[in-house]
């Protein structure tokens, strides 16, 4: 039984090994992804993002508990888009995450991911790990990511349904807005709802969502209050998630195709970029060093390199 | 006198018009940038970034005041990398910024920038506006940007010296770290230093900076306490900035060339991307719609499109 077959049979050790292979990228990773991809599309990929300290891990615990109670198998991918230098904070999360598996007889698979620089970036790595878990028969793939930067937004694109977790203290709802979270949220969870500012935060988010141009796909983003620590509001959150899933069901092929298109674009661009600059780095250096100042200008240099590309290919 | 000549003569109306032209991108913008670029390299471009509410605008006011007192001309570029939907918050800053020019007899030029989707992105637009102000003879170009996302980091790359402004309340120094701010800061300003947690924040930042691998260029990032509202610590901040400027002076050509290289790379990639996808979008759509499922996989599709590129150019 080869690795792909092991994954398709749901073998945990094969899944673990396959994740390492696709995470590593390269030809072996690409071949494995391509082998598994046609067997994916069944899992529901839920992204969970938001600022540090919003309580994402505890909320993830609650969601895992819910799905397990419903008899579903859950794969968890914890993604840290930050630099290697910043491992400390996430380590805490990771330890907590391991604890929550302690009581499980199985049915939950947890893996962390901090790949940088793989072809197509972290977003592709997240997609690929999602493919492995999906192909292995996990019903739900929970993608947890820390922070609110571009990295997190890229990762969120790998999910079918994105939950943005905020807390009243993350200050102003304006911050969520500024960080581009409004654009990626399918559901907002205002966590730590026991705090007095929670109601105001919910109203502010709803108001801002209302001010947006109506979404193309007609989905109205719900804002739910949760208190992960107390276990309150989980039912409402799950209902909101299920609502989005039902909404997606009507356009599932479309959604999957759109995501595949984006992946292919990223892979093509990354492949081209590596190939192009491998060949042109010296040309750029020579131009920077050799040209007269009047020609050593941004657009003239760019045009020169783009023309060379055409010339090289034709010649 | 054409527009470029007007800029070089320091004419304010020409500068305003030139900024609109380069901000608009396109052939006219590119030509103007290329015309002005050889006349740039004299201004000191200082980036000011950090989370919302850190007091960047007030600190910018203080710095402007300092440079004006020293007889320098100051150009200010306020950049908002957020989506158009998020205009509200920045508007407040803008209004305040206008107020601070009210009393000026001249010597300060303020412009806001929210261009998205220009060729090369916001980072290139910021560089280009900096070029205009630089060529027009402004001694200092202050680039203010709101937030801590990738957009802000891109914008910071357009500056010679980057000040990251944080406040004790922005919580944990870990957040600055997670957001990638450690990587871009040449100077840290812990603002609102009158607050009791300021000392702890300074120590935490210094400790984290100390834990990093030593920087390639040998610059040790200073952490200074400021209280922009009270006007305290501005002298220390300016000293830290001047220290970095002196550090740069020894490698000025190198620094400028590195920035030009990055700009050219971005422009080439953006140019290629537009050209490539204009020609290949339909090929991708056809492949997504027409191929058998086993071939409709991420890496196979990417390879197909990259091969087509070669084939089309050679054919």
């Amino acid at each position: 039984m080869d690795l792909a077959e092991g994954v398709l049979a749901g073998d945990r050790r094969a899944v673990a090994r396959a994740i390492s292979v696709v995470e590593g990228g390269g030809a072996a990773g690409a071949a494995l992804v391509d082998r598994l991809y046609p067997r994916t599309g069944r899992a529901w990929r839920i992204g969970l993002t938001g600022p540090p300290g919003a309580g994402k891990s505890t909320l993830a615990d609650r969601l895992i508990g819910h799905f397990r109670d419903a008899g579903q198998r859950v794969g968890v991918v914890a993604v840290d888009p930050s630099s290697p230098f910043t491992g400390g904070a996430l380590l805490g999360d990771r330890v907590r995450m391991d604890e929550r598996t302690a009581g499980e007889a199985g049915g939950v698979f947890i893996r962390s991911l901090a790949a940088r620089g793989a072809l197509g970036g972290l977003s592709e790595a997240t997609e690929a790990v999602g493919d492995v878990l999906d192909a292995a028969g996990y019903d739900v793939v929970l993608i947890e990511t820390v922070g609110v930067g571009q990295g997190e937004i890229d990762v969120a694109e790998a999910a079918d349904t994105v939950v943005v977790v905020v807390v009243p203290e993350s200050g102003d709802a304006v911050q969520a807005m500024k960080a581009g979270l409004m654009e990626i949220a399918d559901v907002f969870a205002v966590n730590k709802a026991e705090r007095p500012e929670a109601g105001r935060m919910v109203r502010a988010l709803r108001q801002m969502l209302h001010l947006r141009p109506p979404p193309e796909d007609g989905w109205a983003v719900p804002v739910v209050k949760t208190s992960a620590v107390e276990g309150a509001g989980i039912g409402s959150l799950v209902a909101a998630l299920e609502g989005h899933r039902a909404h997606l069901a009507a356009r599932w092929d479309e959604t999957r195709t759109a995501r595949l298109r984006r992946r292919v674009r990223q892979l093509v661009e990354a492949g081209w970029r590596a190939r192009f600059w491998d060949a042109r780095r010296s040309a750029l250096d020579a131009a920077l060093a050799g040209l007269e100042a009047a020609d050593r200008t941004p657009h003239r240099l760019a045009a020169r390199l783009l023309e060379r590309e055409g010339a090289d290919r034709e010649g």
Side-chain angles (χ1 to χ4, degrees), chain A:
Chain A
M1 191 160 76
D2 77 356
L3 192 53
E5 282 161 7
V7 170
L8 292 170
D11 177 67
R12 282 175 79 95
R13 284 164 70 184
V15 169
R17 208 141 36 89
I19 289 178
S20 300
V21 172
V22 302
E23 195 183 352
L32 186 54
V33 167
D34 277 3
R35 176 94 183 276
L36 296 175
Y37 185 82
R39 306 288 292 273
T40 64
R42 220 189 48 82
W44 182 18
R45 305 188 191 189
I46 302 175
L48 205 63
T49 193
K56 288 181 296 297
S57 293
T58 315
L59 205 55
D61 275 345
R62 296 288 182 180
L63 288 175
I64 291 167
H66 165 83
F67 289 120
R68 290 295 299 132
D69 289 347
Q72 310 229 279
R73 295 176 65 211
V74 183
V76 182
V77 192
V79 188
D80 185 6
S82 324
S83 62
F85 175 55
T86 65
L90 201 66
L91 202 62
D93 287 347
R94 195 102 347 129
V95 171
R96 264 190 295 149
M97 286 219 307
D98 285 346
E99 278 165 12
R100 74 187 164 206
T101 46
E104 301 280 349
V108 180
F109 188 98
I110 297 190
R111 181 65 171 246
S112 69
L113 190 62
R116 291 188 82 103
L119 190 73
L122 199 46
S123 160
E124 173 55 28
T126 308
E127 290 271 16
V129 173
D131 288 344
V132 172
L133 293 166
D134 188 337
Y138 287 91
D139 302 289
V140 175
V141 175
L142 203 60
I143 302 164
E144 241 187 280
T145 178
V146 176
V148 293
Q150 186 57 47
E152 289 76 12
I153 289 173
D154 291 346
V155 169
E157 286 184 332
D160 303 311
T161 299
V162 176
V163 188
V164 173
V165 186
V166 290
V167 280
E169 294 73 13
S170 62
D172 216 322
V174 166
Q175 249 178 283
M177 199 172 71
K178 302 290 292 181
L181 294 178
M182 300 301 260
E183 283 76 5
I184 60 165
D186 298 309
V187 172
F188 266 107
V190 176
N191 197 26
K192 308 193 180 175
E194 68 279 7
R195 301 195 176 165
E197 310 89 332
R200 205 173 52 204
M201 181 76 167
V202 169
R203 281 192 301 277
L205 283 171
R206 285 191 180 141
Q207 200 169 10
M208 286 193 301
L209 288 163
H210 188 71
L211 287 169
R212 290 197 307 180
E216 274 174 47
D217 66 355
W219 173 250
V221 176
V223 181
V224 297
K225 282 203 268 190
T226 57
S227 174
V229 170
E230 299 176 0
I234 307 303
S236 310
L237 176 58
V238 169
L241 293 176
E242 295 284 0
H244 188 252
R245 184 186 207 177
H247 169 80
L248 281 182
R251 47 185 69 70
W252 189 243
D253 286 348
E254 216 177 298
T255 304
R256 255 179 80 77
T257 303
R259 225 163 61 209
L260 179 58
R261 178 185 284 114
R262 193 174 44 69
R263 278 177 86 168
V264 172
R265 289 181 68 122
Q266 284 177 349
L267 287 170
V268 166
E269 291 183 6
W272 172 84
R273 192 180 291 127
R275 200 160 83 178
F276 181 86
W277 289 116
D278 273 355
R280 302 300 180 298
R281 190 165 291 122
S282 57
L284 176 53
D285 286 339
L288 285 168
L291 289 182
E292 291 297 316
D295 291 319
R296 210 168 51 236
T297 63
H299 296 275
R300 214 161 296 175
L301 284 166
R304 207 182 164 87
L305 284 159
L306 279 167
E307 276 159 28
R308 274 182 77 93
E309 188 209 7
D312 288 5
R313 295 227 171 246
E314 278 148 27

